[in-house]
Amino acid sequence: MIVEDNAAPKRVNRWLVLANVSVGTFMATLDGSIANVALPTIAEELQSPVHVVQWVLTSYLLTICALLPIMGKISDLLGRSRIYNFGFLIFTAGSALCGLSDTLALLIAARIVQAAGAACLMSNSQAIVAELFAGGGRGRALGIVGTVVSLGSLTGPAIGGILVGSLGWPSIFWINVPIGIAGMIAGWFILPRHSGKRAQEPFDFRGSVLFIVGIVAFLFTVSNGQDWGWSSPATWGLGIGAFAVLGWFYLWEKKTRYPMLDFGLYRIRAFAFGNMAALLSFVALFCTNVMMPFYMQNVLHYSPEKTGYAMMLYPLTMAVIAPLSGWLSDKIGYIWLTTTGLAVNAAAFALLNTLTTQESVWTVGLHLALFGLGAGLFQSPNNSSVMEAVPRSKLGTAGGLNALVRNIGMVLGIALSVSLYSTRLYQSGTVSGADPAADPQAILSALHWVFWTAMAVCLLALFFSSLRIRSKEPSAQN
């Protein structure tokens, strides 16, 4: 039995709540990429090989993916604001532990704690905003959240490089502590207190364990398949095991009375097709994030600073477009904005294939700005449509699944682009695109292969998004 929390709701300032949610979302997404530039320094100071230090990144990502839908479900039962603010506490404590770590094992363990807090923040940010702005302005508000996600994910390396160079690698974690404490205190006073339900129903522990084991095994296989070899026994064995556990999880969730993940949400066309379009969109876009630095540094021979300036045009353009497209979706709906955004991204991938071995930084930057335009047009209205389609009581679950789709798309995009790039280089007789003596034309050919594939993935996302044109389902906010 579920009992509603009948405590009298306090009056809240929606925009202060949005600001608090934006701070938590920015911190959680920033720490997914801020440690990238610190890995060489961490490896040297903690005297560990780089392939082991890589777990500082991998452990964070895998933990978030494993916990997102679980935290979403818990928030639906215990209250979204409560779990979100608890996430601030866990994330801040994990950040402090990271800064205090003097061995790699302690650092990885602290990153897992930090990621658990990040999962609480990520799974509830969209749900809190969607519920609070249900009366109007939802698209605009979710557009701002989408902008914050983009800025957090894409500015991490730049901020991390400045902090590591000036204050050392622990500073990239210590900076979270005062911000997290301030966010937690502010959240205690400004977040709505009636945003959830108190639960008497049993929690689905078996389903949660099956999901964690299955999704971690799957993402670990995808992340390491290129190094192990896609046809190796390790890849096939762990991959088959992952799908077997996830299949078991699906069967269990279908028969249990109180499932951790309500697969009935996928019977809602706007939710199902919106999530599929978002997954494929992130797969395609992360091909750009991973491959464009290779192009600029190894083909055009840009400096890291020059590469960073060109890459920044992507998130900056999205920061302008996403809130505008969210506001516009409140006026005209989401269908044409989402399909137009994906069409722009597909065209941008085609234009990347026109780049040569001699290009100015402005030419490259303007090409990347097109992705910011397309992503900004797509993501805010798409998030709004997905959250609008589900019942109010399941906003936490929906928000967790939406964030999970984003993170899985990132992992698959990285794996797809690296695998295609490496395979094409190997076929051309070039061992590594990072070799200064590597043929620029061979690198460019490999990059074009990745970009054409990413364009095809983007067009597939466009197809799924367009299927919602025929969907006339009313939103289920009850």
Side-chain angles (χ1 to χ4, degrees), residues 178-250:
I179 300 174
I181 292 174
M184 182 176 62
I185 294 173
W188 176 261
F189 290 101
I190 68 175
L191 290 177
R193 299 287 178 86
H194 63 293
S195 59
K197 298 178 179 179
R198 301 182 186 274
Q200 298 287 326
E201 72 178 51
F203 182 72
D204 181 16
F205 286 102
R206 179 182 296 186
S208 299
V209 171
L210 289 174
F211 178 80
I212 290 173
V213 172
I215 199 67
V216 168
F218 170 70
L219 294 177
F220 187 74
T221 303
V222 170
S223 299
N224 291 279
Q226 178 62 32
D227 294 331
W228 297 344
W230 292 107
S231 60
S232 68
T235 301
W236 276 90
L238 190 57
I240 292 172
F243 279 110
V245 173
L246 289 174
W248 185 7
F249 165 73
Y250 174 77

Side-chain angles (χ1 to χ4, degrees), residues 269 273-274 276-278 280 334-340 342 378 382 385 458-470:
R269 288 175 62 91
F273 291 139
M276 180 58 70
L280 295 171
Y334 63 88
I335 289 294
W336 299 110
L337 290 167
T338 55
T339 51
T340 300
L342 291 171
F378 169 75
N382 189 70
S385 71
C458 205
L459 289 174
L460 186 59
L462 175 60
F463 167 74
F464 278 105
S465 183
S466 66
L467 291 177
R468 292 180 292 182
I469 295 176
R470 298 197 302 270

Side-chain angles (χ1 to χ4, degrees), residues 149-163:
V149 169
S150 176
L151 290 176
S153 300
L154 298 174
T155 60
I159 296 174
I162 294 171
L163 290 173

Side-chain angles (χ1 to χ4, degrees), residues 111-167:
R111 283 285 276 178
I112 292 174
V113 174
Q114 191 186 38
C120 294
L121 296 170
M122 287 184 179
S123 62
N124 286 287
S125 58
Q126 289 185 354
I128 291 173
V129 171
E131 183 176 31
L132 204 57
F133 285 81
R138 173 182 282 167
R140 182 184 178 190
L142 288 175
I144 293 173
V145 174
T147 299
V148 169
V149 169
S150 176
L151 290 176
S153 300
L154 298 174
T155 60
I159 296 174
I162 294 171
L163 290 173
V164 172
S166 304
L167 301 172

